[in-house]
Amino acid sequence: MSPEVYSLKPTPDQYAYAFGGREPLLTVEPGSIIDLATEDCFAGNVRSVDDLPSQVCTFPFLNPVTGPIAVRGAEPGDTIAVHFVEIVPARDWAVSTTFPHFGALTTTHATAMLHPALEERVWLYELDVAAGTCRFQARKSDFSVELPLDPMHGTVGVAPAANEVIMSITPAAHGGNMDTPEMRAGSTAYFGVNVEGGMLSIGDGHVRQGEGEVCGTAVEAAMRTTVVIDLVKGQAPPSPRLENDEFVMTTGSARPLEDAFRMSQHDLVGWTAQLLGLEELDAYQLVSQTGLAPAGNVVDTNYTMVGKLPKSVLGASQAYDGLHARLRDLGAEYLTRR
Amino acid sequence: MSPEVYSLKPTPDQYAYAFGGREPLLTVEPGSIIDLATEDCFAGNVRSVDDLPSQVCTFPFLNPVTGPIAVRGAEPGDTIAVHFVEIVPARDWAVSTTFPHFGALTTTHATAMLHPALEERVWLYELDVAAGTCRFQARKSDFSVELPLDPMHGTVGVAPAANEVIMSITPAAHGGNMDTPEMRAGSTAYFGVNVEGGMLSIGDGHVRQGEGEVCGTAVEAAMRTTVVIDLVKGQAPPSPRLENDEFVMTTGSARPLEDAFRMSQHDLVGWTAQLLGLEELDAYQLVSQTGLAPAGNVVDTNYTMVGKLPKSVLGASQAYDGLHARLRDLGAEYLTRR
Amino acid sequence: MSPEVYSLKPTPDQYAYAFGGREPLLTVEPGSIIDLATEDCFAGNVRSVDDLPSQVCTFPFLNPVTGPIAVRGAEPGDTIAVHFVEIVPARDWAVSTTFPHFGALTTTHATAMLHPALEERVWLYELDVAAGTCRFQARKSDFSVELPLDPMHGTVGVAPAANEVIMSITPAAHGGNMDTPEMRAGSTAYFGVNVEGGMLSIGDGHVRQGEGEVCGTAVEAAMRTTVVIDLVKGQAPPSPRLENDEFVMTTGSARPLEDAFRMSQHDLVGWTAQLLGLEELDAYQLVSQTGLAPAGNVVDTNYTMVGKLPKSVLGASQAYDGLHARLRDLGAEYLTRR
Amino acid sequence: MSPEVYSLKPTPDQYAYAFGGREPLLTVEPGSIIDLATEDCFAGNVRSVDDLPSQVCTFPFLNPVTGPIAVRGAEPGDTIAVHFVEIVPARDWAVSTTFPHFGALTTTHATAMLHPALEERVWLYELDVAAGTCRFQARKSDFSVELPLDPMHGTVGVAPAANEVIMSITPAAHGGNMDTPEMRAGSTAYFGVNVEGGMLSIGDGHVRQGEGEVCGTAVEAAMRTTVVIDLVKGQAPPSPRLENDEFVMTTGSARPLEDAFRMSQHDLVGWTAQLLGLEELDAYQLVSQTGLAPAGNVVDTNYTMVGKLPKSVLGASQAYDGLHARLRDLGAEYLTRR
């Protein structure tokens, strides 16, 4: 039996700018495929190097997300799995900027200093989707370089606990703006459900992003994205997890950055212990010698660290009973069939 | 003309436990090759699962380093380059432990809490150097798994500025205990010189280590290591830099972890700007989209973050006039000749 | 002309547990006096040393607040002033507890460690309101000591910006759970307005609290509180400010704690510059030599630092045109009249 | 029997710029009185508003300290007590400055950003020691204000553990540049001894300082200071402690600032438990409701927080068997006699 296929292309006024507090735009059965349209983090308003975001964007209408999508049967304590089948830029350009008081190497609202803001500047990237590249063009010199496309979504999450409504720019236990390049096609993300239906939203496409997202924005683009969504009863992780063919991954979103690291590693130790039947300190040891720990972002209202364990360490043990592989195969079949 | 080749195998009482404040054990010409012996971070005292470090080790005789090695002609403001030609475990075993009040997921002296210390436990790893593996054996179950060897040095540095004498366990601007897996054979590290001769020391071999070194220790081993050492006049970086065939890399060692991130990224932006002739914000943008940002350690007295830029972005531009490739070739030639 | 006097005593189901997202319980004119009832942070459920909060309280029904109160005419960018006339414990007992994974000297959700939680324990304090004391009684020995009452509100704030709904346990730019003992009778607090009416809520009475609130809870009590509320057009501060007869005060709520410090000091520098007509670096210097910087809390989801400048430094210059003194006098007159 | 009285006025080349690694300038018996001369943190080189420290000072010859003073009989694990009898400015002026890349509201070496440094500026304060005031004069306007003198020492400490040599600008477990205004006349400070003789040094006089020392420097002055020094066998605290007639106090020096807070509160809980015979969680509770937590500095290479417990809570219990009162009386008697 083929999965149900849905399409979700919001009109401009249908975008959400927060997680929580909204009725679903779409309700789906577990095991469904959804073709999504997402807008870029500037709501499409930055279209040339002269469009300074502080002038063409209006707070709080930043970082629009597509959703929420309710998953039928999802209850608090359950886990929603989202497999990214395909993430394709919707236009032949993408954009990045500095933004006053935003980024890791500038005074911000929180890291408050007496310096004036850094210059606000826009970089426009030409995309060649067929060639799989985008072009960085310096603004103050002739230097340019082709960079590989590596499309991903910066913002994916569900409605938060405790009836909170949290700006889409914030990453936390519900997911949100984690800004990790691991959220690419081929990855499955797992979110703990806090409210009936879970209420998944997706946005903030990047055609590529460095780890840490140090200037505050990636190469931002509207996307056409295909996901498979499924439901696991119970097993809600404390923070979002990811999985691809090579790694199981955990995340932590907090400040200071060492707390984000601690959260991601704490969950990686616990997950490893569970998957391998290890006592906790034995898992701590194994993770210490085999794990990877890249930064997601060090610029958002919370910072995000990722913990990665190679599946080679896990042997035959499979996370969520092999759900990732099943969703990956479902997605692949859909692409060939489409 | 062949480089001078030196051998440095300290007697037990010749090891140093700090950077700074010591006369050189060896003085070499720039461009020399040195075969080194290093002891493990427990000074070789933990040899079985019953050797608890808090019982068999004596503070402050932890983390012995081999050196200092004076480089003739090195003056404050210069740069010492150290290329790691080969790092080979000296024994057929290695060891890792938890240690009371040390590690990322435990109360420590600084992150002081009311919990009693976690259990102190030792893991002994059997090495198969020919096969390139080491075996993790759980202590509380039968689980075991072969892991690839990936030998590296946790501690490499020079004498600090301002006549400071800093315990070898601390990473800072002079290098020291950065505990990044990037310090492996095939990498060249660059250190700013603070005193006449620079005074390089090397220790803390790991047969492998996860990023973040979350439990506080890696798979610790005595090593037989070959390095090529060279001198660059001037150009002292603010914190140690690294380079391998694929990446140029910077480090930042500080607390909180976001400051370590900022330092590493700040230098990566500046170095990229210099290498490509970019204006600073243009370099900030380019690093943001192409850089990697793994944790080194999040457990030592300072934390270490690494910033990595793929050389593909740099095109024909070469760091330090191609010194890395020259040292790599010198080392390769030495290995074939030896 | 006498100010309007209102009374607001919520029924149990009228309490709010968040800032934002609610219709007002009461709408008042600027310049009004309100007699409020507030419940304690355990919603009154911890009444003996055997009532462990994790058993008698239900997440997210923690830290109830009384409100929101809409102030007629308040628009985004305005400032709501709240003067605390009187804060009187409603019962002859108060209570404090440890709580699993909460507090500054314990593993928490964010500072995630492998330790089991500290013991959960309840301390019941007998109050003698006439004598102005409460009695600390140790649980594991006979030690007891009388401590002076110093009643205050831990949680005071308005609806957040960007339509967010934020748990009442979190302090941020909108105020919330700042947990500073400076929020006592005799103080005036200033909040920037984000939504029509401002939507002020007050809760979390403490009969006394140490700076930092290190174990996570103060001496918690239901209160009968009288406030005067007024409106200043414009002049919204970036974070809540306070004022009493001796000091003008700023707050910063963020993580890490140095960012909370930076925010509070940044606003104190800016405010001082404005009040004295000083250039910014001159104000930076003056604050550096005369300011105080106590911790509010170092336990909540954000930490809070307070910056204090003695009014002696300000000479004849008055914040908000002397509003604090006018509200203080209005309140005093009300107390004599009542 | 009268205590021995010593005088220690270093010649310019006798000042030290670090803790550790030096022979004593003076050796005294426990119970001795010492009249000291200290230079200001600029080594006396900033004498007018035109003397920019980056031009007239030479790294690392900053923050000179007077010492070390060896205390006869002091062994590792012991405690040196230093009571400040009198701290008197040596000149009729004092000075404060901003300094490039130093301070809490500016980019620094660790909190590395792309901003250029803030302006370097000098403020000269006229002192009126008889009146007990100093005058702040704005540089960019006519504003001036008299501020009360409150002389203190920013830098007091002993030789560090592990044979480290640490710049005098760094506060840590050995003391050093804690920059807390609590180090004033009337206070007794306690330091754990790490090396034979302890090796006490004192410097960095401030005629006054705000908490946090936000711009990076206080009102800096050379001082004529009288201390009584005594020795307690054993009982070394983990970090320096202080005591005056009203409070017992602990310190923590670390980054991030919450770790400095944790260290200071952890020791305050342990000390309170010991002084009152309380079980640990009971002491945690008591400190939570009665402690104060001001910032020392948030600008140095480590930040310092102070924890304060009112002696009223301690009843008849006395720290170190009443040593503070005995040293205070000895000092008072010396002043009348002198």
Side-chain angles (χ1 to χ4, degrees):
Chain A
M1 199 186 86
S2 281
E4 206 75 40
V5 177
Y6 299 88
S7 174
L8 182 57
K9 325 239 144 150
T11 57
D13 62 332
Q14 282 182 320
Y15 284 104
Y17 296 88
F19 288 87
R22 298 250 307 196
E23 292 303 304
L25 273 191
L26 176 69
T27 300
V28 305
E29 292 296 319
S32 298
I33 288 174
I34 311 177
D35 289 318
L36 293 161
T38 64
E39 208 11 298
D40 69 30
C41 72
F42 304 110
N45 290 314
V46 178
R47 297 178 157 263
S48 86
V49 297
D50 298 321
D51 291 333
L52 298 186
S54 68
Q55 294 174 3
V56 301
C57 297
T58 311
F59 177 83
F61 302 105
L62 286 166
N63 207 29
V65 288
T66 296
I69 301 165
V71 181
R72 225 182 292 275
E75 296 168 308
D78 291 346
T79 303
I80 287 182
V82 186
H83 179 76
F84 288 86
V85 179
E86 196 181 63
I87 306 174
V88 180
R91 306 176 183 123
D92 60 359
W93 56 269
V95 70
S96 188
T97 80
T98 51
F99 192 87
H101 302 286
F102 196 66
L105 302 185
T106 173
T107 173
T108 66
H109 173 64
T111 309
M113 298 185 165
L114 297 177
H115 303 282
L118 294 179
E119 182 196 327
E120 189 174 5
R121 193 185 292 176
V122 176
W123 291 262
L124 212 65
Y125 287 74
E126 289 170 22
L127 310 187
D128 184 337
V129 175
T133 58
C134 63
R135 172 164 290 275
F136 166 76
Q137 172 61 58
R139 290 291 311 278
K140 301 292 180 187
S141 66
D142 288 338
F143 178 83
S144 79
V145 62
E146 295 286 341
L147 304 174
L149 292 184
D150 184 13
M152 51 158 283
H153 280 284
T155 308
V156 188
V158 295
N163 304 311
E164 286 200 308
V165 177
I166 299 180
M167 282 193 298
S168 61
I169 211 168
T170 299
H174 70 288
N177 194 29
M178 295 180 289
D179 281 325
T180 166
E182 303 295 349
M183 199 75 81
R184 56 168 66 89
S187 290
T188 304
Y190 304 96
F191 300 89
V193 172
N194 300 300
V195 304
E196 201 83 3
M199 302 295 169
L200 180 79
S201 298
I202 297 175
D204 191 25
H206 302 160
V207 306
R208 67 170 293 113
Q209 181 207 309
E211 292 170 355
E213 205 186 13
V214 59
C215 83
T217 57
V219 189
E220 310 283 343
M223 293 290 180
R224 296 297 170 265
T225 293
T226 301
V227 296
V228 196
I229 293 182
D230 211 344
L231 179 65
V232 179
K233 292 308 288 183
Q235 303 188 48
S239 286
R241 292 174 176 173
L242 291 104
E243 183 179 358
N244 63 23
D245 288 355
E246 285 182 273
F247 291 95
V248 293
M249 294 178 257
T250 55
T251 63
S253 295
R255 290 189 175 205
L257 191 58
E258 54 260 47
D259 276 359
F261 174 82
R262 286 177 179 125
M263 292 170 79
S264 62
Q265 297 288 320
H266 187 274
D267 190 36
L268 195 58
V269 168
W271 198 9
T272 301
Q274 180 212 320
L275 288 171
L276 293 176
L278 288 177
E279 184 267 359
E280 192 174 58
L281 285 192
D282 278 344
Y284 189 31
Q285 170 64 207
L286 185 55
V287 166
S288 297
Q289 311 315 342
T290 58
L292 301 181
N297 84 80
V298 193
V299 294
D300 294 331
T301 43
N302 282 322
Y303 305 140
T304 299
M305 289 292 289
V306 176
K308 302 173 65 172
L309 192 82
K311 287 185 165 182
S312 58
V313 170
L314 296 177
S317 178
Q318 287 193 317
Y320 299 105
D321 284 320
L323 181 59
H324 164 72
R326 289 198 301 279
L327 298 185
R328 179 197 61 204
D329 294 349
L330 254 176
E333 188 198 25
Y334 171 70
L335 288 190
T336 56
R337 184 158 47 92
R338 190 177 53 178
Chain B
M1 197 188 87
S2 282
E4 205 73 41
V5 178
Y6 298 87
S7 174
L8 182 57
K9 325 237 146 153
T11 56
D13 62 331
Q14 282 183 321
Y15 284 104
Y17 296 87
F19 288 86
R22 298 250 309 196
E23 293 302 304
L25 274 191
L26 176 71
T27 299
V28 303
E29 292 296 319
S32 298
I33 287 173
I34 311 177
D35 289 317
L36 293 162
T38 64
E39 205 17 294
D40 69 29
C41 72
F42 304 109
N45 291 313
V46 179
R47 298 178 156 263
S48 87
V49 296
D50 298 322
D51 291 335
L52 297 187
S54 67
Q55 295 175 1
V56 301
C57 297
T58 310
F59 177 83
F61 302 106
L62 286 166
N63 206 30
V65 288
T66 295
I69 301 165
V71 180
R72 224 182 292 277
E75 296 169 309
D78 290 346
T79 303
I80 286 182
V82 186
H83 179 76
F84 288 87
V85 180
E86 195 181 61
I87 306 175
V88 180
R91 306 175 184 125
D92 60 359
W93 56 269
V95 70
S96 188
T97 80
T98 50
F99 192 88
H101 301 284
F102 196 66
L105 302 185
T106 174
T107 173
T108 66
H109 174 65
T111 309
M113 298 184 166
L114 297 177
H115 303 281
L118 293 179
E119 183 197 326
E120 190 174 4
R121 193 184 291 176
V122 176
W123 290 262
L124 211 66
Y125 287 73
E126 289 171 21
L127 310 188
D128 184 336
V129 174
T133 59
C134 61
R135 172 164 290 275
F136 166 75
Q137 171 61 58
R139 288 293 310 281
K140 301 291 180 187
S141 66
D142 287 339
F143 179 84
S144 79
V145 63
E146 295 286 341
L147 305 174
L149 293 183
D150 184 13
M152 51 157 284
H153 280 283
T155 307
V156 188
V158 295
N163 304 312
E164 285 200 308
V165 176
I166 299 179
M167 282 192 299
S168 61
I169 212 169
T170 298
H174 70 287
N177 194 28
M178 296 181 288
D179 281 324
T180 166
E182 303 294 351
M183 198 76 81
R184 57 168 64 90
S187 289
T188 303
Y190 303 96
F191 300 89
V193 172
N194 301 299
V195 305
E196 200 84 2
M199 301 294 169
L200 179 79
S201 300
I202 298 175
D204 192 24
H206 301 161
V207 305
R208 67 171 291 114
Q209 182 206 308
E211 292 170 356
E213 204 186 16
V214 59
C215 82
T217 57
V219 189
E220 310 284 342
M223 294 289 181
R224 296 296 170 265
T225 293
T226 301
V227 296
V228 195
I229 293 183
D230 211 345
L231 179 66
V232 179
K233 293 307 287 182
Q235 302 189 50
S239 286
R241 291 173 175 174
L242 291 105
E243 182 178 357
N244 62 23
D245 287 356
E246 284 181 275
F247 291 95
V248 294
M249 294 177 258
T250 55
T251 63
S253 294
R255 290 188 173 203
L257 191 59
E258 54 259 45
D259 275 0
F261 173 82
R262 286 177 178 125
M263 290 170 80
S264 62
Q265 297 287 318
H266 187 273
D267 189 37
L268 194 58
V269 168
W271 197 10
T272 301
Q274 180 212 321
L275 289 171
L276 293 176
L278 288 177
E279 183 266 0
E280 192 174 57
L281 285 192
D282 279 342
Y284 189 31
Q285 171 62 211
L286 185 55
V287 166
S288 297
Q289 311 314 342
T290 58
L292 300 181
N297 84 81
V298 194
V299 294
D300 294 330
T301 43
N302 282 321
Y303 305 140
T304 300
M305 289 292 289
V306 176
K308 302 172 65 172
L309 193 83
K311 288 184 163 182
S312 58
V313 171
L314 296 177
S317 178
Q318 288 192 317
Y320 299 106
D321 284 321
L323 180 59
H324 163 72
R326 289 198 302 278
L327 298 185
R328 179 197 61 203
D329 294 348
L330 254 176
E333 189 197 26
Y334 171 70
L335 288 190
T336 56
R337 182 158 50 89
R338 190 177 55 176
Chain C
M1 196 188 85
S2 281
E4 204 74 40
V5 178
Y6 298 88
S7 175
L8 181 57
K9 325 238 144 151
T11 58
D13 63 330
Q14 282 183 321
Y15 284 105
Y17 297 87
F19 287 86
R22 299 250 307 196
E23 293 303 303
L25 275 191
L26 175 70
T27 299
V28 304
E29 292 296 321
S32 298
I33 288 174
I34 311 177
D35 288 317
L36 294 162
T38 65
E39 206 14 296
D40 69 31
C41 72
F42 304 108
N45 290 312
V46 179
R47 297 178 156 262
S48 85
V49 295
D50 298 321
D51 291 335
L52 297 187
S54 68
Q55 294 175 2
V56 301
C57 298
T58 310
F59 177 83
F61 301 106
L62 286 166
N63 207 29
V65 287
T66 296
I69 301 164
V71 180
R72 225 182 291 276
E75 296 169 308
D78 290 346
T79 303
I80 286 182
V82 185
H83 179 76
F84 288 87
V85 179
E86 194 181 62
I87 306 174
V88 180
R91 304 177 184 122
D92 61 359
W93 56 269
V95 70
S96 188
T97 80
T98 50
F99 191 87
H101 302 284
F102 196 67
L105 302 185
T106 174
T107 172
T108 65
H109 174 66
T111 309
M113 298 185 166
L114 297 177
H115 303 283
L118 293 179
E119 183 196 328
E120 190 175 3
R121 192 184 292 175
V122 176
W123 290 263
L124 211 66
Y125 288 74
E126 289 170 22
L127 310 187
D128 184 337
V129 174
T133 59
C134 61
R135 171 164 292 274
F136 166 75
Q137 171 61 57
R139 289 292 310 280
K140 301 291 180 187
S141 65
D142 287 339
F143 179 84
S144 78
V145 61
E146 296 285 341
L147 305 174
L149 293 183
D150 184 12
M152 50 157 283
H153 281 283
T155 308
V156 188
V158 294
N163 304 311
E164 285 199 309
V165 176
I166 299 179
M167 282 192 299
S168 61
I169 212 168
T170 299
H174 69 287
N177 193 28
M178 296 181 288
D179 282 325
T180 166
E182 304 294 351
M183 199 74 83
R184 56 168 65 91
S187 288
T188 303
Y190 303 95
F191 300 90
V193 171
N194 301 300
V195 304
E196 199 85 3
M199 300 295 169
L200 180 79
S201 298
I202 298 175
D204 191 24
H206 301 161
V207 305
R208 65 172 293 113
Q209 182 206 306
E211 291 170 357
E213 205 186 13
V214 59
C215 83
T217 56
V219 189
E220 309 284 342
M223 294 288 181
R224 296 297 170 264
T225 293
T226 300
V227 297
V228 195
I229 294 183
D230 211 344
L231 179 65
V232 179
K233 292 309 287 181
Q235 303 189 49
S239 286
R241 291 173 176 174
L242 291 105
E243 183 178 357
N244 62 24
D245 288 355
E246 284 182 275
F247 291 96
V248 292
M249 294 177 257
T250 55
T251 64
S253 294
R255 290 188 174 205
L257 191 59
E258 53 260 47
D259 275 0
F261 174 82
R262 286 176 179 126
M263 291 169 79
S264 63
Q265 296 288 318
H266 188 273
D267 189 37
L268 194 58
V269 168
W271 197 9
T272 301
Q274 180 212 321
L275 288 171
L276 293 176
L278 288 177
E279 184 267 359
E280 192 175 58
L281 285 192
D282 279 342
Y284 189 30
Q285 170 64 211
L286 184 56
V287 165
S288 297
Q289 311 315 343
T290 57
L292 301 181
N297 83 81
V298 193
V299 294
D300 294 330
T301 44
N302 281 321
Y303 305 139
T304 300
M305 290 291 290
V306 176
K308 301 171 66 172
L309 193 82
K311 288 184 163 181
S312 58
V313 170
L314 296 177
S317 179
Q318 287 193 319
Y320 298 106
D321 284 322
L323 181 59
H324 163 72
R326 288 198 302 279
L327 297 185
R328 180 197 61 204
D329 294 349
L330 254 176
E333 188 198 26
Y334 171 69
L335 288 191
T336 56
R337 183 159 48 91
R338 188 178 55 178
Chain D
M1 196 187 88
S2 281
E4 204 74 40
V5 178
Y6 298 87
S7 174
L8 181 57
K9 326 239 145 151
T11 57
D13 62 332
Q14 283 183 321
Y15 283 103
Y17 296 88
F19 288 86
R22 298 251 306 198
E23 292 303 304
L25 274 191
L26 176 69
T27 299
V28 304
E29 292 296 319
S32 298
I33 287 174
I34 312 178
D35 289 317
L36 293 163
T38 65
E39 203 18 293
D40 68 32
C41 72
F42 304 108
N45 291 313
V46 178
R47 299 178 154 263
S48 85
V49 296
D50 298 322
D51 291 334
L52 297 186
S54 67
Q55 295 175 1
V56 301
C57 297
T58 311
F59 177 84
F61 301 106
L62 287 166
N63 206 29
V65 287
T66 295
I69 301 165
V71 179
R72 224 181 292 276
E75 295 169 311
D78 291 346
T79 303
I80 287 181
V82 186
H83 179 76
F84 288 87
V85 179
E86 194 181 62
I87 306 175
V88 180
R91 305 176 184 124
D92 61 358
W93 55 269
V95 70
S96 187
T97 80
T98 50
F99 192 88
H101 303 284
F102 195 66
L105 302 185
T106 174
T107 173
T108 66
H109 174 65
T111 308
M113 298 186 165
L114 298 177
H115 304 282
L118 294 179
E119 183 196 328
E120 189 175 4
R121 193 184 292 175
V122 176
W123 290 263
L124 212 66
Y125 287 74
E126 290 170 22
L127 310 187
D128 184 336
V129 175
T133 59
C134 62
R135 171 164 291 275
F136 166 75
Q137 171 62 57
R139 289 292 310 279
K140 300 294 180 185
S141 65
D142 288 339
F143 179 84
S144 78
V145 62
E146 296 285 341
L147 304 174
L149 293 183
D150 183 14
M152 50 158 283
H153 280 283
T155 308
V156 188
V158 294
N163 304 311
E164 285 200 309
V165 177
I166 299 179
M167 281 193 299
S168 61
I169 212 168
T170 298
H174 69 287
N177 194 28
M178 296 181 288
D179 282 325
T180 166
E182 303 295 349
M183 198 75 81
R184 57 168 66 89
S187 289
T188 304
Y190 303 96
F191 300 89
V193 171
N194 301 299
V195 305
E196 200 84 2
M199 300 295 169
L200 180 80
S201 299
I202 297 175
D204 192 24
H206 301 161
V207 305
R208 67 171 292 113
Q209 181 206 309
E211 292 170 356
E213 204 185 16
V214 60
C215 83
T217 56
V219 188
E220 310 283 343
M223 294 289 180
R224 295 296 171 265
T225 293
T226 302
V227 295
V228 195
I229 293 183
D230 210 345
L231 179 65
V232 179
K233 293 308 287 183
Q235 303 189 48
S239 287
R241 292 174 175 172
L242 291 105
E243 182 178 358
N244 62 24
D245 288 355
E246 283 181 276
F247 291 95
V248 293
M249 294 178 258
T250 55
T251 63
S253 294
R255 290 188 173 205
L257 191 59
E258 54 260 47
D259 276 359
F261 173 81
R262 286 178 179 124
M263 291 170 79
S264 63
Q265 297 287 318
H266 187 273
D267 189 37
L268 194 58
V269 168
W271 197 9
T272 301
Q274 180 211 321
L275 288 171
L276 293 176
L278 288 177
E279 184 266 0
E280 193 175 57
L281 285 193
D282 279 342
Y284 190 29
Q285 171 63 211
L286 184 56
V287 166
S288 297
Q289 311 316 342
T290 57
L292 301 181
N297 84 80
V298 193
V299 294
D300 294 331
T301 45
N302 282 322
Y303 304 141
T304 300
M305 289 291 289
V306 176
K308 301 172 66 172
L309 192 82
K311 288 185 163 182
S312 58
V313 170
L314 296 177
S317 178
Q318 287 193 319
Y320 298 106
D321 284 322
L323 181 60
H324 163 71
R326 288 198 301 280
L327 298 185
R328 179 197 61 204
D329 294 349
L330 254 176
E333 188 198 28
Y334 171 70
L335 288 191
T336 56
R337 184 158 49 89
R338 187 177 56 179

